[in-house]
Amino acid sequence: MKYRAFGKIDFKVSALGFGAMRLPTREVQGAGNRLDSNIDEPEAIRMIRHAIDMGVNYVDTAYGYHGGQSEILVGKALKDGYRSRTRVATKSPVWLIKEPADFDRLLDEQLSKLQTEYIDFYLLHSLNGHSWQDTVLKHDLLSRMEAAKKAGKIRHMGFSFHGDYDSFVKIVDRFDKWDFCQIQYNYIDIENQAGMKGLKYAASKGLAVVIMEPLLGGRLANPPKDVRTIMEEADPGKSPVGWALDWLWNQPEVSVVLSGMSTIRQVEENIALAAKSGVGKLGKRELDVVSRVRKKYGERAAIPCTGCGYCVPCPSNVAIPRNFSIYNDGVIHDDLDGARIAYNNFFSKENHASNCVKCGACEEKCPQGIEIMDWLEKVDKALSK
């Protein structure tokens, strides 16, 4: 295993971290499917312990993963001496905090579930501009975190992020006691959310940067044929997963890459890749291949939307760029089923394409000349339940 600096903290973290949000699950008898909360406990414990035996020293979970069961599973996996061999990260479910005391109540519940006296790395979960203003600042959660650290319940303070770059910078700059942050980042998401600029900015401030979604929810592990062809022509022996992870590990600002592994085979493959990882391992030729892959993904988009935002605000509250982004993601990755899940479960119905009344205001302002009203109709038809 290779180890990397973790910001200003005196800790060398394994290049690969174990993300406990996609653990193996069992099929429920009579249900005809696998329930997210029904973790295959023996196999999940075996996977986590095997990873630690092979040098992984960072295990990441959260209050809501696997229907609230992930922290319990991680607590069991870290028995028998494994707790002392790794650092544990978990996250405060900010959306459940309605008053300041909720922070402490939830933290105590998490300590109990994890069967530990302290949490090494504690994050405010999934921050954006709204949750930062309406929950974190409103309920003074930064002071609550500091008090928890002083009491010995947590050791390092951080946050995970799903918002825009400007909000990310605002959060980083507002609190000088952040130790680390966690961002969604991969070779596709270099300009989305915090993006590459956010990675470099946080690192310049001395924060460790933990990477989540390195494979974009698994999509980059199984690319479309035209994308895979570019990779195979460049290096027939290198897997799509290898390209994605090596691109991340090549960057000195990256502290640890989390992988939500579901099988022991994935654990073994990722550990083997981590053992060969390093900053500067990719040369110009390899970086050019990744750029070509990124460009090919972009060419697969159905709607030529750049996300400039000139079309919004919409009088009917339709989040036009977001509708187009969800649909394009489904087309780009040959995963319309995944796009439907995102559209129906993780996107406010108030902002759905179905709310378009065809007033035409958006098309007058679109610099790309996109037939927005027609595309919104197609998007809703393709993605609605």
Side-chain angles (χ1 to χ4, degrees), residues 169-186:
V169 170
K170 183 183 298 184
I171 293 169
V172 169
D173 289 348
R174 174 63 172 77
F175 189 53
D176 62 5
K177 296 179 181 178
W178 293 127
D179 295 310
F180 70 111
C181 63
Q182 184 168 315
I183 64 172
Q184 176 173 318
Y185 186 58
N186 51 68

Side-chain angles (χ1 to χ4, degrees), residues 14-268:
S14 53
L16 176 70
F18 198 110
M21 72 171 293
R22 294 187 176 94
L23 298 170
T25 55
R26 293 184 183 276
E27 186 170 324
V28 178
Q29 188 173 3
N33 61 5
R34 291 175 177 267
L35 296 182
D36 184 58
S37 60
N38 194 43
I39 300 170
D40 183 342
E41 187 172 298
E43 183 63 8
I45 290 174
R46 182 171 81 100
M47 287 166 53
I48 292 173
R49 291 184 174 184
H50 178 63
I52 295 171
D53 288 340
M54 297 303 293
V56 170
N57 65 0
Y58 192 99
V59 177
D60 171 88
T61 182
Y63 185 87
Y65 289 174
H66 283 281
Q69 299 301 303
S70 177
E71 289 176 324
I72 295 172
L73 184 285
V74 169
K76 292 178 179 179
L78 297 186
K79 287 184 174 182
D80 302 326
Y82 281 88
R83 176 67 180 93
S84 63
R85 297 168 58 188
T86 192
R87 307 290 176 97
V88 176
T90 194
K91 310 173 190 74
S92 175
V94 171
W95 56 91
L96 295 180
I97 296 175
K98 308 303 179 186
E99 57 181 294
D102 288 339
F103 176 88
D104 305 283
R105 174 181 58 80
L106 290 163
L107 172 56
D108 287 343
E109 181 184 344
Q110 291 175 287
L111 288 165
S112 176
K113 289 165 71 175
L114 286 163
Q115 302 183 59
T116 185
E117 295 180 354
Y118 63 90
I119 293 164
D120 299 284
F121 297 102
Y122 198 57
L123 304 89
L124 298 179
H125 196 175
S126 194
L127 294 190
N128 56 39
H130 295 297
S131 60
W132 172 251
Q133 190 68 40
D134 298 342
T135 302
V136 177
L137 296 185
K138 178 181 178 180
H139 297 306
D140 197 16
L141 299 189
L142 300 178
S143 294
R144 292 277 169 167
M145 287 188 80
E146 289 186 87
K149 181 177 180 180
K150 187 174 181 180
K153 293 183 178 182
I154 64 176
R155 295 199 167 173
H156 301 287
M157 298 180 288
F159 66 95
S160 68
F161 185 79
H162 287 289
D164 58 54
Y165 173 75
D166 290 341
S167 297
F168 180 76
V169 170
K170 183 183 298 184
I171 293 169
V172 169
D173 289 348
R174 174 63 172 77
F175 189 53
D176 62 5
K177 296 179 181 178
W178 293 127
D179 295 310
F180 70 111
C181 63
Q182 184 168 315
I183 64 172
Q184 176 173 318
Y185 186 58
N186 51 68
Y187 66 70
I188 296 294
D189 284 326
I190 61 172
E191 295 181 354
N192 294 337
Q193 300 187 25
M196 185 178 286
K197 287 197 303 181
L199 168 74
K200 293 181 179 296
Y201 187 78
S204 75
K205 296 289 186 176
L207 275 65
V209 184
V210 178
I211 303 302
M212 59 181 160
E213 300 295 355
L215 300 176
L216 200 55
R219 288 169 169 170
L220 302 185
N222 187 29
K225 185 177 180 180
D226 51 356
V227 173
R228 186 182 291 269
T229 297
I230 296 173
M231 295 176 174
E232 290 177 346
E233 289 178 349
D235 187 343
K238 190 167 187 172
S239 70
V241 172
W243 280 105
L245 297 185
D246 280 349
W247 182 83
L248 289 165
W249 284 320
N250 193 63
Q251 300 169 66
E253 300 86 357
V254 169
S255 300
V256 57
V257 177
L258 300 178
S259 179
M261 296 170 278
S262 303
T263 67
I264 194 70
R265 180 178 178 181
Q266 291 172 356
V267 174
E268 291 171 346

